[in-house]
Amino acid sequence: MSKAALVIGNWKMNGSAALVRTMSEALREQPQLTSAVNVVICPPFTLLAELTRQCFYDNIAVGAQTVNAQDNGAHTGEISVSMLQELGVEYVLIGHSERRACYAETNPVIAAKLNTATAAGLTAVLCVGEDKQQREQQQTWEVIEQQLASACDELTDTQAARLVVAYEPVWAIGTGETATPEQAQHVHSQIRQWLVKRFGSIGEKIEILYGGSVKADNAAQLFAQEDIDGGLIGGASLKKQDFVAIIQAAQG
């Protein structure tokens, strides 16, 4: 990992205005971290405006956890790209395993969201990964390749330049289990090869993050791998000491 790492905190359905202030202050106290590492926080929709206010002058980017493929209309409970951009959002997670499993987000739905977000200028973080059964049946790459191919089918080179891929083995999300650095690197290497084959030189520059029970005590080993460009952090991003420690580990 030769360039600046990218570390994204995914708060999921957690957090409060108080946590936004606490986390922003903790990062503001160590500006050397956010100047050396690209840091993004993805809070629930209700906290986006507060996060933007808190980190407006700091080197912290704001991200959303999902988005609708349509820009307006009769989509109760949804939020559009233009609405996110009005709040200062720069990143959006797309295809997280929880969205796939709990909210029936299919590959075509994810592809539509990815197209809309990248066409509008947002950086889209495409989440891919296999579950425990698929891994045990040695279908890891088959599953991931299908997810990548479907999501990226219609992306132009310009859109691909706004793409980040996050490998999240479903069996390691929130379970305490983590892929070994070697296991993660193997999958990241396959993803890199696929991206280069699909997008050429642009594929060499697309950041590939690891997510799946990344903690302060295993982050450095994971981030040291050649094709791991940073992390998508879940639970640990809700604790200021843990999140700061992970960002420190990403400095290399």
Side-chain angles (χ1 to χ4, degrees):
M1 190 169 61
S2 57
K3 56 187 176 182
L6 172 63
V7 174
I8 302 177
N10 175 19
W11 286 6
K12 307 189 181 186
M13 198 173 70
N14 300 293
S16 62
L19 179 61
V20 169
R21 290 191 292 273
T22 298
M23 192 65 72
S24 299
E25 288 167 3
L27 294 172
R28 190 176 301 124
E29 289 171 359
Q30 302 196 55
Q32 75 281 2
L33 291 182
T34 51
S35 63
V37 178
N38 296 318
V39 177
V40 183
I41 296 177
C42 300
F45 288 138
T46 56
L47 299 176
L48 287 171
E50 179 65 19
L51 180 61
T52 302
R53 282 193 291 270
Q54 289 294 327
C55 68
F56 186 79
Y57 294 105
D58 301 307
N59 199 19
I60 304 165
V62 178
Q65 297 176 14
T66 187
V67 70
N68 194 280
Q70 306 301 316
D71 196 54
N72 54 57
H75 302 286
T76 302
E78 292 293 289
I79 193 164
S80 71
V81 166
S82 59
M83 292 172 181
L84 293 179
Q85 290 175 316
E86 193 171 38
L87 286 170
V89 170
E90 299 176 58
Y91 288 74
V92 61
L93 306 181
I94 293 178
H96 191 282
S97 63
E98 292 158 2
R99 300 294 310 178
R100 294 176 189 262
C102 301
Y103 300 99
E105 289 197 1
T106 62
N107 283 336
V109 168
I110 291 163
K113 291 186 176 192
L114 192 66
N115 270 304
T116 297
T118 52
L122 288 180
T123 297
V125 183
L126 172 65
C127 302
V128 299
E130 82 285 12
D131 62 29
K132 187 172 183 179
Q133 183 180 20
Q134 290 164 337
R135 185 170 192 85
E136 289 173 347
Q137 294 176 351
Q138 299 184 327
Q139 296 177 324
T140 295
W141 179 241
E142 179 183 343
V143 170
I144 293 171
E145 184 177 31
Q146 183 181 37
Q147 292 170 339
L148 287 169
S150 174
C152 299
D153 182 51
E154 297 182 8
L155 291 189
T156 65
D157 286 353
T158 301
Q159 288 173 288
R162 301 188 184 109
L163 176 66
V164 173
V165 176
Y167 168 52
E168 293 198 307
V170 180
W171 50 271
I173 299 175
T175 63
E177 293 187 64
T178 309
T180 66
E182 294 75 22
Q183 287 174 323
Q185 166 58 25
H186 177 67
V187 176
H188 278 238
S189 176
Q190 290 177 298
I191 293 173
R192 174 70 65 205
Q193 291 172 36
W194 188 92
L195 290 171
V196 171
K197 183 177 180 179
R198 173 66 176 81
F199 297 114
S201 60
I202 293 172
E204 296 175 357
K205 300 175 183 177
I206 293 173
E207 292 162 304
I208 310 174
L209 312 182
Y210 175 76
S213 296
V214 178
K215 302 181 181 68
D217 60 2
N218 64 19
Q221 286 182 304
L222 287 163
F223 297 161
Q225 304 303 307
E226 181 180 356
D227 291 299
I228 298 182
D229 299 315
L232 178 56
I233 319 301
S237 70
L238 296 164
K239 303 170 185 175
K240 66 176 183 179
Q241 289 181 320
D242 291 353
F243 194 47
V244 167
I246 289 170
I247 296 169
Q248 288 173 328
Q251 286 182 285

